[in-house]
Amino acid sequence: ARKCILSGLWKNELGSNMTISAVNTDGGFTGLYHTAVTATDKHIRVSPLKGSQKPTNQRKQLTFGFTVSWTFSNSMTVFVGQCFMDDKGKETLKTMWLLREEVSSPGDDWKATRVGTNIFTRI
Ligand SMILES: CN1C(=O)N(C)[C@H]2CS[C@@H](CCCCC(=O)O)[C@H]21
C-alpha cells in the first residue's frame, strides 16, 4: 500500500505497544495502549485510546491525533502526529504528546503537564 494506514500494531522506543483498530469512514479509530514504563509507580495495565485521522484519500502521509486515558493513574495523554512512509514502504508515526497528571491543588498546576516527542514503528 503506498498509503500510510494507522490500523495495526505499533511500538515506540520506550517499549510501549499500541494496537489501533480499523479506521471508520469519518476517520475515527479506537485502540489499546500498553506501556512498559510510567511516570507513576503504579502497576501497569492496558489503557484505551480514541482518536481521529485525516482521510487518506486527500493525503498520502496522514495526520492524526489520539487520547490515552490511563487505567492505572488519574493522568491522560494526548498525541498528535503524522504517518510517513519511506521509499521502501516502511511506515513511521512521528508524534508529540502532552501528559497531564492529576495534581492536588491549583498551586501545583504549573508542574502537571509533561511534553515529549515519540516515534512509533510497526511491530
Ligand atoms: C510510556 N510512555 C509512552 O509510551 N510515551 C510516548 C510517553 C507519553 S505517555 C507516558 C506514559 C504515561 C503513563 C501514565 C502515568 O504514568 O501516569 C510515556
Side-chain angles (χ1 to χ4, degrees):
R2 295 308 305 155
K3 283 182 178 173
C4 270
I5 299 174
L6 277 189
S7 310
L9 209 48
W10 301 88
K11 67 177 175 9
N12 69 14
E13 70 276 16
L14 296 174
S16 299
N17 294 337
M18 169 168 79
T19 307
I20 294 184
S21 66
V23 179
N24 62 37
T25 47
D26 71 358
F29 58 85
T30 58
L32 294 172
Y33 201 100
H34 189 280
T35 70
V37 295
T38 70
T40 56
D41 56 359
K42 300 281 179 35
H43 182 70
I44 295 176
R45 284 197 299 273
V46 174
S47 302
L49 70 87
K50 291 180 184 170
S52 56
Q53 66 165 64
K54 291 298 176 188
T56 43
N57 53 8
Q58 286 154 9
R59 303 282 309 154
K60 195 163 63 99
Q61 302 191 129
L62 56 92
T63 54
F64 59 86
F66 63 89
T67 302
V68 186
S69 177
W70 304 105
T71 50
F72 52 84
S73 69
N74 293 331
S75 56
M76 189 82 71
T77 300
V78 293
F79 290 79
V80 287
Q82 183 170 348
C83 183
F84 291 102
M85 183 180 281
D86 68 16
D87 51 11
K88 295 184 189 64
K90 185 174 179 322
E91 295 153 300
T92 305
L93 306 182
K94 291 178 74 67
T95 73
M96 285 191 75
W97 51 264
L98 295 170
L99 165 58
R100 171 72 198 205
E101 302 259 12
E102 181 191 46
V103 291
S104 48
S105 77
D108 291 337
D109 182 63
W110 65 273
K111 62 180 176 181
T113 307
R114 294 176 167 93
V115 61
T117 60
N118 198 249
I119 294 177
F120 292 90
T121 52
R122 278 203 191 274
I123 295 178

